Structure formats: structure tokens, C-alpha cells
Amino acid sequence: MASLSTPLPTPSSLSFFSSSLFLSPSSSSSFRSHSKLNFPSFTYSSPTKPLSLACKVATLPVLSFTGDKVGESHLDLKCAPPDTARAVVHRAVVTDLQNKRRGTASTLTRAEVRGGGRKPYPQKKLGKARRGSNRTPLRPGGGVIFGPKPRDWSIKINRKEKRLAISTAMASAAVNTIVVEDFVERFEKPKTKAFIAALNRWGLDPKEKTVFLLTEVSENVVLSSRNIGTLKILTPRTLNLYDILNADKLVLTPGAVDYLNERYGIDNAGEEEEDEIEGEGENEVDGEEDTGPETEDNADVVN
């Protein structure tokens, strides 16, 4: 029997798979051929582990609209340590999915079901079980025992933790990511056939799940791609962790690469300023700033 004091090995790499979001390092070798998103490996020289680490700069190929390689782009994002990356990403995924629940499921108890006010038959002389209402949960049409009621399923996650989860997932998906030059103006009219032809030129299979991250989206691009069920177009406003992990391929534009490096990169200097701006916006109601309690000095202005 193994001793309880034997230290467990620390995983050196992390991987996402199609069948499961997180697998143990021992099983990753047998499923490496089916991996979609691979975390970069890290080597620690000191026992002190920082809160966040810079992953190795990912080099992404840049393709033209015709499918020719015209250059390279670099993606440098923050990445969580290997021993906590799974937990950070899992927490963010659970938060996103649980916050989407509407919580409107509702059932009626025996006190809320209509009817059942009269005793169905006498208490004695019939040989039947004593019954005071036809709306008991033991009979069809009766109430529900411990049924669901409307509730709020939303949970909270720290803003920096959510950003770290997104940047970690983007860094792990770099092996399946390409950069395409801006093609918004190339679609003069909506045509799905033209969009599928562009996917084939870029080496993408229309049957695989593909996510586009664009900073600007035209109406013709939306109309040309909306009939492709495996394709999804995201903007910086709609970027979310679940779609990143669920995609087989990621397609970025040069503007999207600059946005990711600026917001989720190592040299993100505007993170604290954005947090302050978001905190100030909470005091505004219906587009008007909160002027605070009424005093004698501003009583005339308020009235």
C-alpha cells in the first residue's frame, strides 16, 4: 500500500479535448491525436509560483482573401499556471452556463392546485383510506412534492479571473488559429456560396465548428454566414469562453489580434482604468448620474 506522504507529480502540460474539457495528464498521451486545444508547457526554476504567467509567444499565419500566406502575426497572452489553469477555466465555464439559466421552472403544490376543498368521501364506513382532498400529491392532478420554483441561478466570478480564463483558453487554441486579412468589404452582396468558397480557400472545413472573431462585422458578412450551422461570428462584445473551447478552428483578423494583445496581453496597462470606469457606471440610473442626497444647496435645482 502506497504511503500517504508520497507527493503527487505535478502536470507539465494541459490539454482540452472534444470528449471532455479536462483530462488527467496520465490519459492525455492516449488522446493526444484527438486534442483540439493544447496548453503550452512551463518550466519553473523556483518553488514560488506567480499568480499568472506569460505563455510562449504564438506565431499565427496571416492569409489573404485568396488563401495565400502573406505574413505572420504574434499572439502574446496571459496564461494561468498549469496546476490552476483547469480550475480557472472550469469555474469560468460553469459561471457562463449557469448564468444563462432563466430559472422560470415552476410547479404547484397541493395548496396551490385548484379544487380539493371538499372531502371526497366519508371518513368511515366505506373501508377506504382516509382522504381529505383529491389534490393530494399521491393522486393524478394533485400537487407536486418538492417541485421546482422560480429562482436565481446566477453566480459571481471575479472580473480578473474571468479575463485570465479567456486568455488561457485563447493561448491554448493558438495551434488551431489562423489570421485572415480584413474581408468585410469583399462581400458586396449576401451569398452563402461565396462564403463557403472562402472557407475552402483558407483551409477550413465547413462541417467543422469554426469561430470568427471580428472587430467590425458588415451586414453582408452576417447574411452570408448565418445559414452555416457550424460557423459563429463573434465580436469583442460577444466574446465568451464557451465558444472558444467548443470551436475546432479559430479565425482572427489583424484588428482582433491587436485587441486580444491589448486587453489580455502581458502589457495590459488599461485594466485598472476599465475597472474604475465600470464601477462608476453602476451609480448611473437611466443614463443620468446619481447626484446624491438632496441638500439645502441644491434643493432649488432639484425642485
Side-chain angles (χ1 to χ4, degrees):
M1 182 175 181
S3 176
L4 297 178
S5 62
T6 304
L8 297 177
T10 303
S12 59
S13 61
L14 302 176
S15 301
F16 287 111
F17 298 89
S18 58
S19 59
S20 177
L21 286 176
F22 311 104
L23 294 178
S24 60
S26 60
S27 60
S28 61
S29 58
S30 60
F31 292 89
R32 190 168 299 277
S33 59
H34 301 284
S35 62
K36 291 184 178 181
L37 307 177
N38 297 320
F39 280 99
S41 301
F42 296 93
T43 302
Y44 296 98
S45 58
S46 61
T48 304
K49 299 179 181 180
L51 295 179
S52 60
L53 297 176
C55 67
K56 184 178 179 180
V57 178
T59 302
L60 307 178
V62 180
L63 305 180
S64 63
F65 185 74
T66 57
D68 301 328
K69 184 177 180 180
V70 295
E72 293 181 347
S73 182
H74 301 284
L75 194 64
D76 188 9
L77 305 178
K78 290 181 180 179
C79 189
D83 55 347
T84 60
R86 287 188 178 93
V88 171
V89 176
H90 178 265
R91 173 176 166 81
V93 171
V94 171
T95 302
D96 290 344
L97 296 181
Q98 190 162 333
N99 290 346
K100 290 181 180 179
R101 300 189 64 171
R102 298 177 59 186
T104 57
S106 180
T107 55
L108 301 179
T109 63
R110 63 178 299 169
E112 299 170 336
V113 177
R114 182 180 178 182
R118 181 179 65 86
K119 190 175 178 63
Y121 45 80
Q123 180 85 349
K124 297 180 179 296
K125 299 183 180 180
L126 294 182
K128 298 182 180 180
R130 296 169 292 184
R131 193 177 301 278
S133 174
N134 286 331
R135 294 300 176 254
T136 173
L138 304 179
R139 292 179 61 89
V144 179
I145 304 176
F146 303 126
K149 286 292 185 181
R151 57 171 296 185
D152 183 14
W153 289 94
S154 62
I155 56 178
K156 178 184 176 297
I157 186 173
N158 295 332
R159 186 182 293 107
K160 292 183 179 179
E161 185 178 4
K162 185 175 181 180
R163 289 179 181 175
L164 182 61
I166 293 178
S167 61
T168 302
M170 289 296 302
S172 66
V175 294
N176 297 323
T177 304
I178 62 173
V179 180
V180 179
E181 291 183 339
D182 293 332
F183 56 90
V184 176
E185 303 297 335
R186 296 299 187 98
F187 292 90
E188 299 178 354
K189 59 180 181 179
K191 196 168 185 180
T192 305
K193 187 176 181 180
F195 202 95
I196 294 178
L199 293 178
N200 294 328
R201 291 195 300 268
W202 297 332
L204 303 176
D205 187 0
K207 296 182 180 180
E208 292 183 346
K209 290 178 287 188
T210 307
V211 171
F212 281 74
L213 179 59
L214 310 176
T215 54
E216 296 181 0
V217 183
S218 64
E219 184 179 0
N220 290 337
V221 172
V222 174
L223 296 178
S224 300
S225 60
R226 66 178 181 178
N227 286 336
I228 306 176
T230 57
L231 188 142
K232 183 173 291 187
I233 295 180
L234 302 179
T235 60
R237 186 178 181 84
T238 60
L239 180 63
N240 63 91
L241 180 61
Y242 183 82
D243 289 335
I244 296 174
L245 299 178
N246 193 38
D248 295 324
K249 298 290 184 179
L250 295 178
V251 181
L252 309 177
T253 59
V257 174
D258 296 338
Y259 167 78
L260 293 175
N261 289 330
E262 179 180 357
R263 183 168 179 81
Y264 302 101
I266 303 302
D267 301 329
N268 186 7
E271 184 173 352
E272 296 181 358
E273 298 179 359
E274 293 177 1
D275 295 344
E276 294 178 358
I277 294 175
E278 293 179 3
E280 293 175 358
E282 296 177 356
N283 296 329
E284 299 180 1
V285 180
D286 296 335
E288 299 179 358
E289 297 183 357
D290 186 6
T291 58
E294 181 180 353
T295 60
E296 295 180 357
D297 295 338
N298 60 2
D300 297 337
V301 179
V302 175
N303 293 333

